Amino acid sequence: MMNLTAQRAFSLLELLVAIAIIAIVTGLSIAGYGKFTARAQNMRCVEFVHQTKMALEQLHQRDDAWPPALQAAAANGDGKLDARAGAALAKGGVMSLTYGLTENSDGSKTYVLKGHDRFGVVTPWAMDYIKHHDSASLSSKLPAGGNIQDHILRYAIDLDYDGITEVAHGHDGGMVQVRAQACVWSYGRDGKPNTKDDVRSWSRGQEVGK
């Protein structure tokens, strides 16, 4: 009887140890998965920022001019690829954006972004949120940080065609000149400017004087 009791007690201890080990491993796995997911989303943002920059350059090379909508928003070196500016990219056919067409009385067509692109060209964090929230608005808060408006991609373009683009958000913050035809950046996961998770389409070495 004593041996049976001891065996039962030992088995219960083993079970408790096993549960503790499983809990620790599960916790580590969840933490690791969270970090992996964050890295994957950041890489998506890096790729998307560069794709958007290439789309802008492609649009200019094809038409040998910047669309008026893009020129107006980029005048201060800190344009937003919002619904209006993003529609210019949709019209140019250089990005896969969801849009609708409206026929105007003069025969022209107005492009309007729709669906998950209705707020413009946004980061993957905002895009994922918009896809799952039909009632999302520009002021909607994102779990990652900031609101949808903070996650609209920013851009600047070479308005005087000298190979230098004035950008209001350099690597050290503030206005810089970049050796590029177009520049695109994101405030990153947290939606805040001048933080370490910001994503830019140009390197520090492209900034004039660096």
Side-chain angles (χ1 to χ4, degrees):
M1 181 65 69
M2 289 179 63
N3 290 337
L4 181 58
T5 302
Q7 185 177 357
R8 284 178 178 170
F10 183 69
S11 297
L12 179 58
L13 179 61
E14 284 184 325
L15 179 60
L16 292 174
V17 170
I19 291 173
I21 292 173
I22 291 172
I24 292 171
V25 171
T26 301
L28 292 174
S29 298
I30 291 173
Y33 178 75
K35 291 181 180 178
F36 173 79
T37 302
R39 285 196 298 268
Q41 286 180 319
N42 187 67
M43 285 305 302
R44 282 177 61 198
C45 187
V46 170
E47 292 174 3
F48 192 51
V49 162
H50 282 274
Q51 288 171 0
T52 305
K53 180 237 186 194
M54 291 173 62
L56 285 168
E57 292 178 340
Q58 183 182 349
L59 186 61
H60 177 267
Q61 289 168 5
R62 190 191 66 187
D63 299 336
D64 199 29
W66 298 111
L70 292 179
Q71 291 187 46
N76 63 351
D78 187 18
K80 275 187 180 181
L81 283 170
D82 55 15
R84 184 170 180 270
L89 291 173
K91 182 179 181 180
V94 293
M95 286 190 74
S96 298
L97 297 167
T98 306
Y99 63 89
L101 282 175
T102 301
E103 293 280 351
N104 301 318
S105 57
D106 60 359
S108 63
K109 297 178 180 179
T110 298
Y111 286 70
V112 179
L113 296 184
K114 300 174 63 178
H116 59 266
D117 295 318
R118 62 187 180 275
F119 301 115
V121 185
V122 300
T123 65
W125 296 282
M127 189 179 297
D128 291 344
Y129 182 89
I130 295 167
K131 284 180 178 179
H132 296 93
H133 296 81
D134 293 335
S135 61
S137 67
L138 285 172
S139 60
S140 294
K141 299 290 184 181
L142 302 184
N147 55 34
I148 290 176
Q149 187 159 252
D150 298 326
H151 282 260
I152 296 174
L153 296 192
R154 306 275 178 155
Y155 76 101
I157 51 180
D158 178 13
L159 292 170
D160 54 6
Y161 309 102
D162 63 352
I164 300 293
T165 297
E166 298 280 344
V167 180
H169 187 66
H171 281 80
D172 295 325
M175 183 70 71
V176 295
Q177 293 182 321
V178 180
R179 298 181 184 90
Q181 192 176 45
C183 294
V184 178
W185 65 96
S186 156
Y187 290 155
R189 177 184 175 87
D190 62 9
K192 297 178 180 178
N194 300 317
T195 55
K196 64 181 181 180
D197 68 346
D198 292 359
V199 177
R200 299 175 178 84
S201 67
W202 70 96
S203 66
R204 186 183 292 270
Q206 288 178 269
E207 296 180 1
V208 176
K210 299 296 176 67

